[in-house]
Amino acid sequence: MGRRSDHSREELRALILDEGHRQLSEVGFARFSAREVAKGVGYSIGTIYNVFGSYDALLLALNGRTLDLWLAFLEERLAGCEEGRLDAAIEAYFDFALGQRHAWTALYDFRLPEGASPSEDYRNKVAAITGVIVREIAAVLPAGAQAQALPLARSLLASVHGHCFFALNGTFAMLGESDPLGAAKARVADALARYGAG
Amino acid sequence: MGRRSDHSREELRALILDEGHRQLSEVGFARFSAREVAKGVGYSIGTIYNVFGSYDALLLALNGRTLDLWLAFLEERLAGCEEGRLDAAIEAYFDFALGQRHAWTALYDFRLPEGASPSEDYRNKVAAITGVIVREIAAVLPAGAQAQALPLARSLLASVHGHCFFALNGTFAMLGESDPLGAAKARVADALARYGAG
DNA sequence: CAGATTAATTGAACGATGTCTAATTTTCTA
DNA sequence: TAGAAAATTAGACATCGTTCAATTAATCTG
């Protein structure tokens, strides 16, 4: 079969992303297959390569979508939240990871070949999520510690990530920890206490 | 070729583990291949399956070896260390992950199929590493807070893991963080300060 | 020591993967 | 309307994990 006019380039791209994200969320990164996505949208594997160029590029696009969903989820949770916004953000972190388990895990299971770096677009998405945390931390830091908001946000993101990661991969269960979210909140509180936040 | 007397069962197992760990450390989890290991030891792929039963079992054994190396590395670093032992442990965490980059990453990239859980042997190895941290934290906690040593150790392990993970996977670089180790140490110090450690 | 039994080892087969490319077909352009 | 450009396909390729019948060497047995 040759050229078709079923979908424009952008429609096709969106179609593949929709179906791809659906499958990734269902089967997880390890079992994810570009061929299967092609089947799902009724095109051949070659078309996936025409649109995305490579398997890696497809996965980067799918992970980008996950980041978009994550940011939206985070902002929505914070939208009607007056007090305890930072705790709410941590809860949102956990809830998204648990709810979108496979998609979230794929963010970290998938790695570009050594030397390669993600697109500016992708980096911006990561920075956007970080930006939310920077904002929330700045809001609770005293005036004299505002300069610490960015480095602190990066560090606390890493801490929360570690807790969330151990919760999902079974490490915490193996060690008898039954309240990963509580532990994560406590560590964030520890750090903020030192900067006189409140 | 039929039965050979080149190696006993245990020698063969050790041979495969040696070569497997060498290759895993060299090429990383994504490019690791059981067939290639078979080539490396001069046996056929079938023999790998006779000895280990499955690809998953082989990888679990290889990750087990990484955990052994990690524990030994950690203890050796702490051996001649009088003060600042906890900071030394965090440094050791980072140094091992950086030095054994591929092997360390494989600990978390590889996942058992859903529902399956690692062997008791594997769980013990993870618990052993945790045990070292519990011990070191207990040593700096005041008498009244000893009960917190275990939960705190689990939580601080997660925090340090998050920092190490972000350092290795490029997230920190992407966010402009240039001292992940320093940040990890600071978060641990924050937590200990709250418990009156010193 | 000879023959039978057991155990280990092999390599081909299978279905699946990502990747590439020649051929085909449609659409656009001059 | 003829030719150029773009899109789509299907098959080929090398690789992967997995299985298994056949083969061969070591061991046991009488």
Side-chain angles (χ1 to χ4, degrees), chain A residues 91-125:
Chain A
E91 280 166 33
Y93 199 111
F94 270 72
D95 286 348
F96 184 83
L98 287 167
Q100 302 283 324
R101 193 183 182 96
H102 282 145
W104 185 82
T105 301
L107 290 175
Y108 306 100
D109 280 348
F110 173 67
R111 284 217 214 347
L112 255 32
E114 326 222 3
S117 60
S119 67
E120 190 188 342
D121 190 53
Y122 190 90
R123 293 199 308 270
N124 285 340
K125 291 176 195 291

mmCIF file of all heavy atoms in Angstrom, chain A residues 91-125:
data_model
loop_
_atom_site.group_PDB
_atom_site.id
_atom_site.type_symbol
_atom_site.label_atom_id
_atom_site.label_comp_id
_atom_site.label_asym_id
_atom_site.label_seq_id
_atom_site.Cartn_x
_atom_site.Cartn_y
_atom_site.Cartn_z
ATOM 1 N N GLU A 91 2.175 14.219 47.976
ATOM 2 C CA GLU A 91 1.112 13.226 47.763
ATOM 3 C C GLU A 91 0.813 13.053 46.287
ATOM 4 O O GLU A 91 0.612 11.943 45.809
ATOM 5 C CB GLU A 91 -0.162 13.665 48.490
ATOM 6 C CG GLU A 91 -0.149 13.360 49.980
ATOM 7 C CD GLU A 91 -1.266 14.102 50.715
ATOM 8 O OE1 GLU A 91 -2.343 14.306 50.118
ATOM 9 O OE2 GLU A 91 -1.041 14.493 51.887
ATOM 10 N N ALA A 92 0.772 14.172 45.586
ATOM 11 C CA ALA A 92 0.494 14.104 44.153
ATOM 12 C C ALA A 92 1.595 13.328 43.433
ATOM 13 O O ALA A 92 1.328 12.556 42.512
ATOM 14 C CB ALA A 92 0.364 15.509 43.570
ATOM 15 N N TYR A 93 2.830 13.531 43.864
ATOM 16 C CA TYR A 93 3.965 12.793 43.292
ATOM 17 C C TYR A 93 3.711 11.297 43.415
ATOM 18 O O TYR A 93 3.774 10.544 42.434
ATOM 19 C CB TYR A 93 5.238 13.181 44.053
ATOM 20 C CG TYR A 93 6.540 12.876 43.344
ATOM 21 C CD1 TYR A 93 7.356 13.887 42.864
ATOM 22 C CD2 TYR A 93 6.978 11.566 43.179
ATOM 23 C CE1 TYR A 93 8.560 13.615 42.236
ATOM 24 C CE2 TYR A 93 8.172 11.281 42.551
ATOM 25 C CZ TYR A 93 8.968 12.304 42.087
ATOM 26 O OH TYR A 93 10.162 12.017 41.461
ATOM 27 N N PHE A 94 3.400 10.885 44.626
ATOM 28 C CA PHE A 94 3.151 9.462 44.872
ATOM 29 C C PHE A 94 1.919 8.957 44.120
ATOM 30 O O PHE A 94 1.947 7.890 43.513
ATOM 31 C CB PHE A 94 2.970 9.215 46.376
ATOM 32 C CG PHE A 94 4.244 8.915 47.095
ATOM 33 C CD1 PHE A 94 5.173 9.912 47.319
ATOM 34 C CD2 PHE A 94 4.523 7.633 47.548
ATOM 35 C CE1 PHE A 94 6.370 9.644 47.982
ATOM 36 C CE2 PHE A 94 5.713 7.350 48.226
ATOM 37 C CZ PHE A 94 6.634 8.356 48.438
ATOM 38 N N ASP A 95 0.847 9.730 44.178
ATOM 39 C CA ASP A 95 -0.392 9.273 43.562
ATOM 40 C C ASP A 95 -0.249 9.127 42.048
ATOM 41 O O ASP A 95 -0.790 8.193 41.458
ATOM 42 C CB ASP A 95 -1.533 10.241 43.893
ATOM 43 C CG ASP A 95 -1.988 10.091 45.342
ATOM 44 O OD1 ASP A 95 -1.585 9.104 45.983
ATOM 45 O OD2 ASP A 95 -2.735 10.958 45.830
ATOM 46 N N PHE A 96 0.483 10.051 41.458
ATOM 47 C CA PHE A 96 0.685 9.925 40.014
ATOM 48 C C PHE A 96 1.511 8.691 39.702
ATOM 49 O O PHE A 96 1.183 7.914 38.808
ATOM 50 C CB PHE A 96 1.345 11.175 39.439
ATOM 51 C CG PHE A 96 1.479 11.128 37.941
ATOM 52 C CD1 PHE A 96 0.417 11.489 37.127
ATOM 53 C CD2 PHE A 96 2.653 10.694 37.345
ATOM 54 C CE1 PHE A 96 0.523 11.436 35.746
ATOM 55 C CE2 PHE A 96 2.769 10.630 35.961
ATOM 56 C CZ PHE A 96 1.702 11.001 35.166
ATOM 57 N N ALA A 97 2.595 8.526 40.430
ATOM 58 C CA ALA A 97 3.466 7.379 40.184
ATOM 59 C C ALA A 97 2.712 6.065 40.371
ATOM 60 O O ALA A 97 2.865 5.127 39.578
ATOM 61 C CB ALA A 97 4.679 7.433 41.102
ATOM 62 N N LEU A 98 1.894 5.992 41.403
ATOM 63 C CA LEU A 98 1.133 4.765 41.661
ATOM 64 C C LEU A 98 0.043 4.573 40.623
ATOM 65 O O LEU A 98 -0.165 3.474 40.122
ATOM 66 C CB LEU A 98 0.521 4.811 43.066
ATOM 67 C CG LEU A 98 1.516 4.629 44.221
ATOM 68 C CD1 LEU A 98 0.889 5.005 45.553
ATOM 69 C CD2 LEU A 98 2.023 3.188 44.258
ATOM 70 N N GLY A 99 -0.655 5.651 40.302
ATOM 71 C CA GLY A 99 -1.760 5.569 39.353
ATOM 72 C C GLY A 99 -1.309 5.314 37.936
ATOM 73 O O GLY A 99 -1.965 4.600 37.174
ATOM 74 N N GLN A 100 -0.185 5.899 37.555
ATOM 75 C CA GLN A 100 0.368 5.724 36.205
ATOM 76 C C GLN A 100 1.646 4.893 36.287
ATOM 77 O O GLN A 100 2.643 5.190 35.629
ATOM 78 C CB GLN A 100 0.680 7.086 35.579
ATOM 79 C CG GLN A 100 -0.506 8.019 35.487
ATOM 80 C CD GLN A 100 -1.411 7.635 34.337
ATOM 81 O OE1 GLN A 100 -0.943 7.195 33.301
ATOM 82 N NE2 GLN A 100 -2.703 7.779 34.534
ATOM 83 N N ARG A 101 1.569 3.882 37.092
ATOM 84 C CA ARG A 101 2.728 3.081 37.448
ATOM 85 C C ARG A 101 3.676 2.790 36.278
ATOM 86 O O ARG A 101 4.850 3.131 36.301
ATOM 87 C CB ARG A 101 2.218 1.758 38.028
ATOM 88 C CG ARG A 101 3.276 0.951 38.714
ATOM 89 C CD ARG A 101 2.703 -0.382 39.184
ATOM 90 N NE ARG A 101 3.721 -1.123 39.878
ATOM 91 C CZ ARG A 101 3.866 -1.117 41.209
ATOM 92 N NH1 ARG A 101 3.038 -0.446 41.949
ATOM 93 N NH2 ARG A 101 4.844 -1.799 41.775
ATOM 94 N N HIS A 102 3.148 2.194 35.232
ATOM 95 C CA HIS A 102 4.006 1.793 34.111
ATOM 96 C C HIS A 102 4.583 2.986 33.368
ATOM 97 O O HIS A 102 5.752 3.000 33.012
ATOM 98 C CB HIS A 102 3.231 0.897 33.153
ATOM 99 C CG HIS A 102 3.096 -0.502 33.645
ATOM 100 N ND1 HIS A 102 1.971 -1.266 33.411
ATOM 101 C CD2 HIS A 102 3.943 -1.286 34.354
ATOM 102 C CE1 HIS A 102 2.140 -2.453 33.958
ATOM 103 N NE2 HIS A 102 3.314 -2.496 34.539
ATOM 104 N N ALA A 103 3.741 3.972 33.131
ATOM 105 C CA ALA A 103 4.221 5.153 32.414
ATOM 106 C C ALA A 103 5.274 5.884 33.231
ATOM 107 O O ALA A 103 6.300 6.325 32.704
ATOM 108 C CB ALA A 103 3.044 6.079 32.082
ATOM 109 N N TRP A 104 5.020 6.005 34.518
ATOM 110 C CA TRP A 104 5.979 6.705 35.378
ATOM 111 C C TRP A 104 7.297 5.956 35.446
ATOM 112 O O TRP A 104 8.381 6.534 35.336
ATOM 113 C CB TRP A 104 5.394 6.877 36.793
ATOM 114 C CG TRP A 104 6.262 7.685 37.706
ATOM 115 C CD1 TRP A 104 6.323 9.043 37.766
ATOM 116 C CD2 TRP A 104 7.204 7.195 38.667
ATOM 117 N NE1 TRP A 104 7.240 9.425 38.721
ATOM 118 C CE2 TRP A 104 7.796 8.312 39.293
ATOM 119 C CE3 TRP A 104 7.606 5.920 39.068
ATOM 120 C CZ2 TRP A 104 8.760 8.204 40.285
ATOM 121 C CZ3 TRP A 104 8.570 5.795 40.053
ATOM 122 C CH2 TRP A 104 9.140 6.938 40.655
ATOM 123 N N THR A 105 7.210 4.654 35.591
ATOM 124 C CA THR A 105 8.426 3.840 35.659
ATOM 125 C C THR A 105 9.232 3.948 34.369
ATOM 126 O O THR A 105 10.468 3.961 34.398
ATOM 127 C CB THR A 105 8.055 2.374 35.938
ATOM 128 O OG1 THR A 105 7.335 2.298 37.166
ATOM 129 C CG2 THR A 105 9.296 1.510 36.044
ATOM 130 N N ALA A 106 8.538 4.033 33.256
ATOM 131 C CA ALA A 106 9.224 4.116 31.962
ATOM 132 C C ALA A 106 10.085 5.373 31.874
ATOM 133 O O ALA A 106 11.086 5.404 31.153
ATOM 134 C CB ALA A 106 8.209 4.082 30.818
ATOM 135 N N LEU A 107 9.698 6.418 32.597
ATOM 136 C CA LEU A 107 10.497 7.649 32.600
ATOM 137 C C LEU A 107 11.939 7.359 33.000
ATOM 138 O O LEU A 107 12.870 8.035 32.550
ATOM 139 C CB LEU A 107 9.907 8.665 33.579
ATOM 140 C CG LEU A 107 8.563 9.319 33.217
ATOM 141 C CD1 LEU A 107 8.103 10.194 34.364
ATOM 142 C CD2 LEU A 107 8.692 10.126 31.934
ATOM 143 N N TYR A 108 12.109 6.359 33.863
ATOM 144 C CA TYR A 108 13.438 6.090 34.406
ATOM 145 C C TYR A 108 14.041 4.791 33.873
ATOM 146 O O TYR A 108 15.261 4.622 33.878
ATOM 147 C CB TYR A 108 13.373 6.090 35.934
ATOM 148 C CG TYR A 108 12.760 7.371 36.447
ATOM 149 C CD1 TYR A 108 11.435 7.426 36.846
ATOM 150 C CD2 TYR A 108 13.499 8.546 36.449
ATOM 151 C CE1 TYR A 108 10.860 8.623 37.274
ATOM 152 C CE2 TYR A 108 12.937 9.743 36.866
ATOM 153 C CZ TYR A 108 11.624 9.774 37.277
ATOM 154 O OH TYR A 108 11.059 10.953 37.673
ATOM 155 N N ASP A 109 13.197 3.891 33.419
ATOM 156 C CA ASP A 109 13.714 2.646 32.839
ATOM 157 C C ASP A 109 14.343 2.900 31.482
ATOM 158 O O ASP A 109 15.310 2.240 31.096
ATOM 159 C CB ASP A 109 12.587 1.620 32.691
ATOM 160 C CG ASP A 109 12.277 0.924 34.002
ATOM 161 O OD1 ASP A 109 13.071 1.068 34.944
ATOM 162 O OD2 ASP A 109 11.243 0.235 34.080
ATOM 163 N N PHE A 110 13.772 3.819 30.760
ATOM 164 C CA PHE A 110 14.297 4.098 29.419
ATOM 165 C C PHE A 110 15.471 5.060 29.499
ATOM 166 O O PHE A 110 15.409 6.088 30.148
ATOM 167 C CB PHE A 110 13.217 4.686 28.528
ATOM 168 C CG PHE A 110 13.747 5.141 27.209
ATOM 169 C CD1 PHE A 110 14.231 4.219 26.286
ATOM 170 C CD2 PHE A 110 13.806 6.485 26.887
ATOM 171 C CE1 PHE A 110 14.746 4.631 25.064
ATOM 172 C CE2 PHE A 110 14.316 6.911 25.673
ATOM 173 C CZ PHE A 110 14.783 5.982 24.771
ATOM 174 N N ARG A 111 16.547 4.683 28.858
ATOM 175 C CA ARG A 111 17.725 5.554 28.822
ATOM 176 C C ARG A 111 18.211 5.718 27.394
ATOM 177 O O ARG A 111 18.276 4.744 26.640
ATOM 178 C CB ARG A 111 18.848 4.942 29.648
ATOM 179 C CG ARG A 111 18.638 5.088 31.118
ATOM 180 C CD ARG A 111 19.892 5.337 31.863
ATOM 181 N NE ARG A 111 19.890 4.720 33.180
ATOM 182 C CZ ARG A 111 18.844 4.217 33.820
ATOM 183 N NH1 ARG A 111 17.669 4.211 33.237
ATOM 184 N NH2 ARG A 111 18.959 3.688 35.012
ATOM 185 N N LEU A 112 18.572 6.921 27.068
ATOM 186 C CA LEU A 112 19.185 7.178 25.767
ATOM 187 C C LEU A 112 20.553 6.501 25.723
ATOM 188 O O LEU A 112 21.178 6.282 26.749
ATOM 189 C CB LEU A 112 19.357 8.685 25.590
ATOM 190 C CG LEU A 112 18.394 9.408 24.659
ATOM 191 C CD1 LEU A 112 17.024 8.752 24.655
ATOM 192 C CD2 LEU A 112 18.269 10.862 25.046
ATOM 193 N N PRO A 113 21.023 6.153 24.512
ATOM 194 C CA PRO A 113 22.390 5.620 24.388
ATOM 195 C C PRO A 113 23.392 6.599 24.988
ATOM 196 O O PRO A 113 23.166 7.811 25.003
ATOM 197 C CB PRO A 113 22.586 5.482 22.880
ATOM 198 C CG PRO A 113 21.309 5.841 22.229
ATOM 199 C CD PRO A 113 20.306 6.181 23.258
ATOM 200 N N GLU A 114 24.493 6.049 25.472
ATOM 201 C CA GLU A 114 25.486 6.896 26.149
ATOM 202 C C GLU A 114 25.934 8.037 25.239
ATOM 203 O O GLU A 114 26.200 7.843 24.075
ATOM 204 C CB GLU A 114 26.710 6.068 26.540
ATOM 205 C CG GLU A 114 26.380 4.638 26.919
ATOM 206 C CD GLU A 114 27.166 4.176 28.129
ATOM 207 O OE1 GLU A 114 27.912 4.985 28.698
ATOM 208 O OE2 GLU A 114 26.997 3.014 28.508
ATOM 209 N N GLY A 115 26.026 9.202 25.841
ATOM 210 C CA GLY A 115 26.467 10.354 25.066
ATOM 211 C C GLY A 115 25.297 11.170 24.554
ATOM 212 O O GLY A 115 25.370 12.392 24.524
ATOM 213 N N ALA A 116 24.217 10.517 24.174
ATOM 214 C CA ALA A 116 23.048 11.236 23.675
ATOM 215 C C ALA A 116 22.357 11.976 24.815
ATOM 216 O O ALA A 116 22.368 11.536 25.953
ATOM 217 C CB ALA A 116 22.071 10.261 23.025
ATOM 218 N N SER A 117 21.776 13.124 24.486
ATOM 219 C CA SER A 117 21.030 13.865 25.503
ATOM 220 C C SER A 117 19.647 14.191 24.963
ATOM 221 O O SER A 117 19.465 14.340 23.759
ATOM 222 C CB SER A 117 21.788 15.139 25.879
ATOM 223 O OG SER A 117 21.939 15.953 24.742
ATOM 224 N N PRO A 118 18.660 14.283 25.861
ATOM 225 C CA PRO A 118 17.285 14.513 25.432
ATOM 226 C C PRO A 118 17.121 15.886 24.778
ATOM 227 O O PRO A 118 17.935 16.781 24.966
ATOM 228 C CB PRO A 118 16.497 14.423 26.737
ATOM 229 C CG PRO A 118 17.485 14.676 27.819
ATOM 230 C CD PRO A 118 18.786 14.185 27.311
ATOM 231 N N SER A 119 16.045 16.022 24.044
ATOM 232 C CA SER A 119 15.778 17.271 23.338
ATOM 233 C C SER A 119 15.512 18.405 24.313
ATOM 234 O O SER A 119 15.211 18.171 25.484
ATOM 235 C CB SER A 119 14.559 17.090 22.437
ATOM 236 O OG SER A 119 13.410 16.894 23.236
ATOM 237 N N GLU A 120 15.603 19.631 23.814
ATOM 238 C CA GLU A 120 15.315 20.793 24.655
ATOM 239 C C GLU A 120 13.874 20.727 25.137
ATOM 240 O O GLU A 120 13.572 21.086 26.270
ATOM 241 C CB GLU A 120 15.555 22.072 23.848
ATOM 242 C CG GLU A 120 15.508 23.331 24.695
ATOM 243 C CD GLU A 120 15.565 24.589 23.836
ATOM 244 O OE1 GLU A 120 15.980 24.483 22.666
ATOM 245 O OE2 GLU A 120 15.174 25.658 24.335
ATOM 246 N N ASP A 121 13.010 20.256 24.257
ATOM 247 C CA ASP A 121 11.602 20.127 24.597
ATOM 248 C C ASP A 121 11.427 19.246 25.828
ATOM 249 O O ASP A 121 10.709 19.596 26.771
ATOM 250 C CB ASP A 121 10.851 19.530 23.406
ATOM 251 C CG ASP A 121 9.357 19.588 23.599
ATOM 252 O OD1 ASP A 121 8.841 20.688 23.879
ATOM 253 O OD2 ASP A 121 8.711 18.531 23.483
ATOM 254 N N TYR A 122 12.104 18.116 25.811
ATOM 255 C CA TYR A 122 12.004 17.188 26.936
ATOM 256 C C TYR A 122 12.571 17.810 28.208
ATOM 257 O O TYR A 122 11.984 17.713 29.287
ATOM 258 C CB TYR A 122 12.737 15.884 26.600
ATOM 259 C CG TYR A 122 12.503 14.779 27.597
ATOM 260 C CD1 TYR A 122 11.445 13.900 27.435
ATOM 261 C CD2 TYR A 122 13.338 14.624 28.697
ATOM 262 C CE1 TYR A 122 11.218 12.883 28.346
ATOM 263 C CE2 TYR A 122 13.118 13.616 29.616
ATOM 264 C CZ TYR A 122 12.057 12.749 29.436
ATOM 265 O OH TYR A 122 11.841 11.757 30.344
ATOM 266 N N ARG A 123 13.706 18.435 28.074
ATOM 267 C CA ARG A 123 14.324 19.077 29.231
ATOM 268 C C ARG A 123 13.398 20.139 29.820
ATOM 269 O O ARG A 123 13.311 20.303 31.037
ATOM 270 C CB ARG A 123 15.663 19.717 28.832
ATOM 271 C CG ARG A 123 16.728 18.702 28.454
ATOM 272 C CD ARG A 123 18.130 19.306 28.518
ATOM 273 N NE ARG A 123 18.252 20.555 27.772
ATOM 274 C CZ ARG A 123 18.602 20.654 26.490
ATOM 275 N NH1 ARG A 123 18.873 19.551 25.801
ATOM 276 N NH2 ARG A 123 18.696 21.818 25.898
ATOM 277 N N ASN A 124 12.704 20.856 28.952
ATOM 278 C CA ASN A 124 11.785 21.877 29.429
ATOM 279 C C ASN A 124 10.642 21.277 30.255
ATOM 280 O O ASN A 124 10.197 21.886 31.236
ATOM 281 C CB ASN A 124 11.203 22.663 28.254
ATOM 282 C CG ASN A 124 12.219 23.634 27.679
ATOM 283 O OD1 ASN A 124 13.196 24.000 28.354
ATOM 284 N ND2 ASN A 124 12.011 24.044 26.444
ATOM 285 N N LYS A 125 10.196 20.119 29.832
ATOM 286 C CA LYS A 125 9.106 19.477 30.572
ATOM 287 C C LYS A 125 9.556 19.089 31.976
ATOM 288 O O LYS A 125 8.829 19.249 32.953
ATOM 289 C CB LYS A 125 8.601 18.249 29.813
ATOM 290 C CG LYS A 125 7.856 18.585 28.510
ATOM 291 C CD LYS A 125 7.485 17.314 27.774
ATOM 292 C CE LYS A 125 7.080 17.547 26.327
ATOM 293 N NZ LYS A 125 5.805 18.248 26.177
#
